[in-house]
Coordinates of all heavy atoms in Angstrom, one line a residue:
R29 N 5.7 7.7 4.9 CA 5.5 9.2 4.9 C 4.8 9.7 5.9 O 4.8 10.8 6.4 CB 4.7 9.6 3.5 CG 5.6 9.4 2.2 CD 5.0 10.1 1.1 NE 3.5 10.0 0.9 CZ 2.9 9.1 0.2 NH1 3.6 8.3 -0.6 NH2 1.6 9.2 0.2
F30 N 3.8 8.8 6.5 CA 3.0 9.2 7.6 C 3.8 9.2 8.9 O 3.5 9.7 10.0 CB 1.8 8.2 7.8 CG 1.1 8.2 9.1 CD1 0.5 9.3 9.5 CD2 0.8 7.0 9.7 CE1 -0.2 9.4 10.8 CE2 -0.1 7.0 10.8 CZ -0.5 8.2 11.3
G31 N 5.0 8.5 8.9 CA 5.9 8.5 10.1 C 6.2 7.3 10.6 O 6.9 7.2 11.7
A32 N 5.8 6.1 10.0 CA 6.1 4.8 10.5 C 7.5 4.4 10.1 O 8.0 4.8 9.1 CB 5.1 3.9 9.9
T33 N 8.0 3.6 10.8 CA 9.3 3.0 10.7 C 9.2 1.6 10.2 O 8.4 0.8 10.8 CB 10.3 3.0 11.9 OG1 10.6 4.3 12.3 CG2 11.6 2.3 11.5
E34 N 9.8 1.2 8.9 CA 9.5 -0.2 8.6 C 10.5 -1.0 9.1 O 11.8 -0.9 9.1 CB 9.7 -0.2 7.0 CG 9.4 -1.5 6.3 CD 9.7 -1.6 4.9 OE1 8.8 -0.9 4.2 OE2 10.6 -2.1 4.4
N35 N 10.1 -2.0 9.9 CA 11.0 -3.0 10.7 C 11.4 -4.2 9.7 O 12.6 -4.4 9.9 CB 10.3 -3.6 11.9 CG 10.1 -2.5 13.1 OD1 10.8 -1.5 13.1 ND2 9.2 -2.7 13.8
F36 N 10.6 -4.6 8.9 CA 11.0 -5.5 7.9 C 9.9 -5.7 6.8 O 8.7 -5.2 7.1 CB 11.1 -6.9 8.4 CG 10.0 -7.6 9.1 CD1 9.0 -8.2 8.4 CD2 9.9 -7.8 10.5 CE1 7.8 -8.8 8.9 CE2 8.8 -8.4 11.2 CZ 7.7 -9.0 10.3
C37 N 10.2 -6.2 5.7 CA 9.1 -6.3 4.6 C 9.5 -7.5 3.7 O 10.8 -7.5 3.3 CB 9.1 -5.1 3.7 SG 7.9 -5.1 2.4
F38 N 8.6 -8.4 3.8 CA 8.9 -9.6 2.9 C 8.0 -9.5 1.6 O 6.9 -9.1 1.8 CB 8.6 -10.9 3.7 CG 9.5 -11.2 4.9 CD1 9.0 -11.0 6.1 CD2 10.7 -11.6 4.6 CE1 9.7 -11.3 7.2 CE2 11.5 -11.9 5.6 CZ 11.1 -11.8 7.0
R39 N 8.8 -9.7 0.5 CA 8.0 -9.6 -0.8 C 7.9 -10.9 -1.5 O 8.7 -11.9 -1.3 CB 8.9 -8.6 -1.7 CG 8.8 -7.2 -1.1 CD 9.6 -6.2 -1.9 NE 9.4 -4.8 -1.3 CZ 8.4 -4.0 -1.7 NH1 7.5 -4.4 -2.7 NH2 8.4 -2.8 -1.2
N40 N 7.0 -10.9 -2.4 CA 6.7 -12.1 -3.2 C 7.6 -12.0 -4.4 O 8.4 -11.1 -4.6 CB 5.2 -12.2 -3.5 CG 4.3 -12.2 -2.6 OD1 4.5 -13.1 -1.7 ND2 3.3 -11.5 -2.6
D41 N 7.7 -13.1 -5.3 CA 8.6 -13.2 -6.3 C 8.3 -12.0 -7.4 O 9.2 -11.6 -8.0 CB 8.4 -14.6 -7.2 CG 8.9 -15.8 -6.3 OD1 9.8 -15.5 -5.4 OD2 8.5 -16.9 -6.6
D42 N 7.1 -11.6 -7.5 CA 6.8 -10.5 -8.4 C 7.0 -9.0 -7.6 O 6.5 -8.0 -8.2 CB 5.3 -10.5 -8.8 CG 4.3 -10.3 -7.7 OD1 4.7 -10.1 -6.5 OD2 3.1 -10.2 -8.0
E43 N 7.7 -9.1 -6.5 CA 8.0 -7.9 -5.7 C 6.8 -7.3 -5.0 O 7.1 -6.2 -4.4 CB 8.8 -6.8 -6.7 CG 10.2 -7.2 -7.0 CD 11.1 -7.5 -5.7 OE1 11.1 -6.7 -4.9 OE2 11.6 -8.7 -5.7
S44 N 5.6 -7.8 -5.0 CA 4.5 -7.3 -4.3 C 4.9 -7.7 -2.8 O 5.6 -8.6 -2.5 CB 3.2 -7.9 -4.9 OG 3.1 -9.3 -4.6
I45 N 4.1 -7.0 -2.0 CA 4.3 -7.1 -0.6 C 3.5 -8.4 -0.1 O 2.4 -8.4 -0.3 CB 3.9 -5.9 0.2 CG1 4.8 -4.7 -0.3 CG2 3.8 -5.9 1.8 CD1 4.4 -3.4 0.1
H46 N 4.1 -9.3 0.7 CA 3.6 -10.3 1.4 C 3.2 -9.8 2.8 O 2.0 -9.8 3.2 CB 4.5 -11.5 1.5 CG 4.0 -12.6 2.4 ND1 2.8 -13.3 1.8 CD2 4.3 -13.1 3.4 CE1 2.6 -14.2 2.8 NE2 3.4 -14.1 3.8
V47 N 4.1 -9.4 3.5 CA 3.9 -8.9 4.9 C 4.9 -7.7 5.3 O 6.2 -8.1 4.9 CB 3.8 -9.9 6.0 CG1 5.0 -10.7 6.2 CG2 3.4 -9.4 7.3
A48 N 4.7 -6.8 5.9 CA 5.6 -5.7 6.4 C 5.3 -5.5 7.8 O 4.1 -5.4 8.1 CB 5.6 -4.6 5.5
E49 N 6.4 -5.4 8.7 CA 6.0 -4.9 10.1 C 6.4 -3.4 10.2 O 7.5 -3.0 9.7 CB 6.8 -5.8 11.1 CG 6.5 -5.2 12.6 CD 7.3 -6.0 13.5 OE1 6.9 -7.2 13.8 OE2 8.6 -5.6 13.9
L50 N 5.6 -2.6 10.7 CA 5.9 -1.1 10.9 C 5.6 -0.7 12.2 O 4.9 -1.4 13.0 CB 5.0 -0.3 9.9 CG 5.1 -0.7 8.4 CD1 3.8 -1.1 7.8 CD2 5.7 0.4 7.6
E51 N 6.2 0.4 12.6 CA 6.0 0.9 14.0 C 6.0 2.4 14.0 O 6.5 3.1 13.3 CB 7.4 0.5 14.7 CG 7.4 0.8 16.2 CD 8.7 0.1 16.8 OE1 9.3 -0.8 16.4 OE2 9.1 0.7 17.9
I52 N 5.0 2.9 14.9 CA 4.9 4.3 15.1 C 5.1 4.6 16.6 O 4.3 4.1 17.4 CB 3.6 4.8 14.6 CG1 3.2 4.6 13.2 CG2 3.3 6.3 15.0 CD1 1.9 4.8 12.7
N53 N 6.3 5.1 16.9 CA 6.7 5.4 18.4 C 6.4 4.2 19.2 O 5.7 4.4 20.4 CB 5.9 6.7 18.7 CG 6.2 8.0 18.1 OD1 7.3 8.1 17.6 ND2 5.4 8.8 17.9
G54 N 6.8 3.1 18.9 CA 6.6 1.8 19.6 C 5.3 1.0 19.4 O 5.2 0.0 19.9
A55 N 4.5 1.6 18.7 CA 3.1 0.8 18.4 C 3.5 0.2 17.1 O 3.4 0.8 16.0 CB 2.0 1.9 18.2
I56 N 3.4 -1.1 17.2 CA 3.7 -2.0 16.1 C 2.4 -2.4 15.4 O 1.4 -2.8 16.1 CB 4.5 -3.4 16.5 CG1 5.9 -3.0 17.1 CG2 4.7 -4.3 15.4 CD1 6.6 -4.0 17.7
F57 N 2.4 -2.5 13.9 CA 1.3 -3.0 13.3 C 1.9 -3.6 12.0 O 3.1 -3.6 11.7 CB 0.3 -1.9 12.9 CG 0.8 -0.9 12.0 CD1 0.4 -0.9 10.7 CD2 1.5 0.3 12.4 CE1 0.8 0.1 9.7 CE2 2.0 1.1 11.6 CZ 1.6 1.3 10.2
H58 N 1.1 -4.5 11.3 CA 1.5 -5.2 10.2 C 0.6 -4.9 9.1 O -0.5 -4.6 9.2 CB 1.6 -6.7 10.4 CG 2.4 -7.3 11.4 ND1 2.1 -7.3 12.8 CD2 3.8 -7.4 11.5 CE1 3.2 -7.7 13.6 NE2 4.2 -7.8 12.8
V59 N 1.1 -5.0 7.8 CA 0.2 -4.8 6.6 C 0.7 -6.1 6.0 O 1.7 -6.7 5.9 CB 0.5 -3.7 5.7 CG1 0.0 -2.4 6.3 CG2 2.0 -3.5 5.3
H60 N -0.4 -6.9 5.5 CA -0.3 -8.3 4.8 C -1.2 -8.4 3.6 O -2.4 -7.8 3.7 CB -0.8 -9.2 6.0 CG -0.3 -10.6 5.6 ND1 -0.8 -11.3 4.6 CD2 0.6 -11.4 6.4 CE1 -0.2 -12.5 4.6 NE2 0.7 -12.6 5.7
E61 N -0.7 -9.1 2.7 CA -1.5 -9.3 1.5 C -2.7 -10.0 2.0 O -2.7 -10.8 2.9 CB -0.8 -9.9 0.4 CG -0.4 -11.4 0.7 CD 0.4 -12.1 -0.3 OE1 0.4 -11.6 -1.5 OE2 1.1 -12.9 -0.1
T62 N -4.0 -9.7 1.3 CA -5.1 -10.5 1.6 C -4.9 -11.9 1.5 O -4.3 -12.4 0.5 CB -6.2 -10.1 0.7 OG1 -6.4 -8.6 0.9 CG2 -7.5 -10.7 1.0
M63 N -5.4 -12.8 2.4 CA -5.2 -14.2 2.4 C -6.5 -14.9 2.9 O -7.2 -14.3 3.5 CB -4.0 -14.8 3.2 CG -4.1 -14.1 4.7 SD -2.6 -14.6 5.6 CE -3.2 -14.4 7.3
R64 N -6.6 -16.1 2.7 CA -8.0 -16.9 3.0 C -9.1 -16.2 2.7 O -9.5 -15.6 1.7 CB -7.7 -17.5 4.5 CG -6.5 -18.4 4.6 CD -6.5 -19.0 6.0 NE -5.0 -19.2 6.4 CZ -4.3 -18.3 7.0 NH1 -4.6 -17.2 7.4 NH2 -3.0 -18.8 7.3
D65 N -9.9 -16.0 3.8 CA -11.2 -15.5 3.7 C -11.2 -13.9 4.3 O -12.3 -13.4 4.3 CB -12.2 -16.2 4.5 CG -12.5 -17.5 3.9 OD1 -12.5 -17.7 2.7 OD2 -12.9 -18.5 4.8
A66 N -10.0 -13.5 4.5 CA -10.0 -12.1 5.0 C -10.1 -11.2 3.9 O -9.8 -11.4 2.8 CB -8.5 -11.8 5.7
L67 N -10.6 -10.0 4.1 CA -10.9 -9.0 3.2 C -10.2 -7.6 3.7 O -10.1 -7.4 4.8 CB -12.4 -8.7 3.0 CG -13.3 -9.9 2.5 CD1 -14.7 -9.4 2.6 CD2 -13.0 -10.1 1.0
E68 N -9.7 -6.9 2.5 CA -9.3 -5.5 2.9 C -10.5 -4.7 2.6 O -11.4 -5.1 1.9 CB -8.0 -5.2 2.2 CG -7.9 -5.9 0.8 CD -8.7 -5.0 -0.3 OE1 -8.9 -3.9 -0.2 OE2 -9.3 -5.7 -1.1
P69 N -10.6 -3.4 3.0 CA -11.6 -2.5 3.0 C -12.1 -2.4 1.4 O -13.4 -2.3 1.4 CB -11.1 -1.2 3.4 CG -10.1 -1.7 4.5 CD -9.4 -2.8 3.8

Side-chain angles (χ1 to χ4, degrees):
R29 286 194 324 260
F30 170 47
T33 301
E34 185 179 289
N35 292 336
F36 65 76
C37 183
F38 292 106
R39 293 184 175 269
N40 300 311
D41 291 339
D42 67 355
E43 290 302 309
S44 64
I45 294 165
H46 174 70
V47 63
E49 180 178 275
L50 300 124
E51 184 174 337
I52 300 172
N53 295 331
I56 294 173
F57 66 101
H58 298 92
V59 294
H60 197 293
E61 67 183 340
T62 302
M63 57 183 194
R64 295 184 210 94
D65 294 331
L67 296 173
E68 37 73 34

